Amino acid sequence: MNKFHYSTREIGGVAVFDLKGAPTFESVQEVAWKIQKSIRRHHFHQIILNFKEAGPMDTIELRRLLTVCIRPKHSALYGASPDMAHFLAENCFSGKVDICADEKAVAESFGPFLYDKDPEKGYADKAAKTPKESLGAQLDGRRSHRMHVAIPVELRITSALNEIVMTKAIVTNISQGGLFVEYLDLESAKRITAIEPIENLPVEIHIFPSANFPEEYHVAGRVRRKEIRREQLGLGIEFEENRQV
């Protein structure tokens, strides 16, 4: 395994630090210092530490790394091992730090901070007579307190070879005619990036009930575009209201 290091990306208003490689006390010290420096320089107030591609670390290394969570207003740990989650719970790491097992927990933890208001990521519903008749408007109206919040989803994309690729993502934008999803899990992002071409492929969208979205939906759509910024992958998906799921 490579030396312990990290990379940075953003989802909405949240900075994601992807931890990678085999930790040692010295490398954890170095990474923690660099992350703290980045947080101060860019004034990050919401952060996610992604442990999914990091090797195991002992309690001393973990404590040192978690010092980066002191300055931000809200931090979350994604992909932590069961042992790590148990240690954090036993040592009362609470308040500003949430332990998130999956995308659903991340979406509920950060609420509106993951939401991206960029109008270019939206789609117009040309079939709807009024915006309120569109599927996107209906989904948007069912969000808790009608807030602009992120929604966890499961995507089933059918490839050109008729293979189904299933991944989990987070909806960061909903418009009249579609939605924009982004991937927190880098391994899932790599699987989707490998599908070429992905534009115009059919996709089934399963929206889970959650704290921010109380109802369950199965929606048909079609991938219209892929957006990659460094390691951050996003998909623009247009609703197909006439296709059955």
Side-chain angles (χ1 to χ4, degrees):
M1 186 176 285
N2 295 331
K3 178 184 175 182
F4 190 60
H5 63 289
Y6 77 97
S7 58
T8 311
R9 53 196 170 117
E10 289 187 49
I11 301 180
V14 180
V16 181
F17 295 94
D18 297 301
L19 307 171
K20 306 170 184 177
T24 63
F25 180 76
E26 291 76 15
S27 61
V28 169
Q29 286 268 63
E30 181 182 359
V31 166
W33 179 80
K34 288 182 177 179
I35 291 177
Q36 286 173 315
K37 186 177 179 182
S38 177
I39 289 171
R40 289 195 300 269
R41 178 187 300 153
H42 299 287
H43 305 287
F44 291 134
H45 298 298
Q46 318 282 336
I47 70 167
I48 296 172
L49 297 182
N50 179 9
F51 286 85
K52 278 215 162 183
E53 295 191 0
M57 61 182 68
D58 61 32
T59 56
I60 295 176
E61 294 164 350
L62 183 57
R63 283 183 181 275
R64 176 65 186 95
L65 187 60
L66 290 180
T67 60
V68 307
C69 299
I70 295 174
R71 189 179 184 90
K73 293 180 180 178
H74 184 193
S75 306
L77 312 183
Y78 169 73
S81 68
D83 289 342
M84 187 183 298
H86 179 73
F87 167 78
L88 295 170
E90 288 290 313
N91 287 270
C92 300
F93 283 93
S94 59
K96 295 195 302 181
V97 182
D98 289 335
I99 305 169
C100 298
D102 52 25
E103 285 76 5
K104 178 175 179 289
V106 170
E108 292 179 357
S109 174
F110 287 97
F113 293 102
L114 291 171
Y115 193 79
D116 193 329
K117 300 179 178 63
D118 186 353
E120 293 186 1
K121 294 180 179 178
Y123 290 94
D125 187 346
K126 299 177 182 178
K129 296 179 181 178
T130 66
K132 290 185 179 181
E133 292 182 358
S134 70
L135 177 58
Q138 294 173 36
L139 293 174
D140 198 33
R142 284 168 171 76
R143 285 194 270 193
S144 178
H145 308 300
R146 297 184 181 273
M147 294 171 61
H148 289 297
V149 293
I151 299 173
V153 293
E154 180 182 86
L155 302 179
R156 296 170 61 90
I157 299 174
T158 302
S159 73
L161 300 176
N162 221 28
E163 297 175 341
I164 295 177
V165 181
M166 186 172 65
T167 55
K168 292 182 179 179
I170 298 175
V171 176
T172 57
N173 187 299
I174 294 180
S175 61
Q176 295 177 34
L179 48 78
F180 191 84
V181 303
E182 297 196 62
Y183 282 89
L184 184 55
D185 183 5
L186 291 178
E187 185 59 37
S188 294
K190 292 173 185 175
R191 291 173 61 198
I192 298 302
T193 302
I195 301 175
E196 286 289 352
I198 196 171
E199 291 77 9
N200 296 317
L201 291 181
V203 55
E204 297 175 9
I205 307 161
H206 179 195
I207 301 177
F208 300 94
S210 64
N212 294 324
F213 197 89
E215 300 182 49
E216 183 171 358
Y217 270 84
H218 289 268
V219 181
R222 195 167 292 274
V223 179
R224 291 307 186 192
R225 76 174 188 277
K226 175 173 65 177
E227 183 177 300
I228 300 177
R229 305 185 310 276
R230 296 181 181 178
E231 291 183 281
Q232 185 58 43
L233 171 66
L235 295 179
I237 300 174
E238 189 173 17
F239 296 135
E240 291 192 330
E241 299 189 51
N242 294 325
R243 184 164 67 87
Q244 297 295 318
V245 175

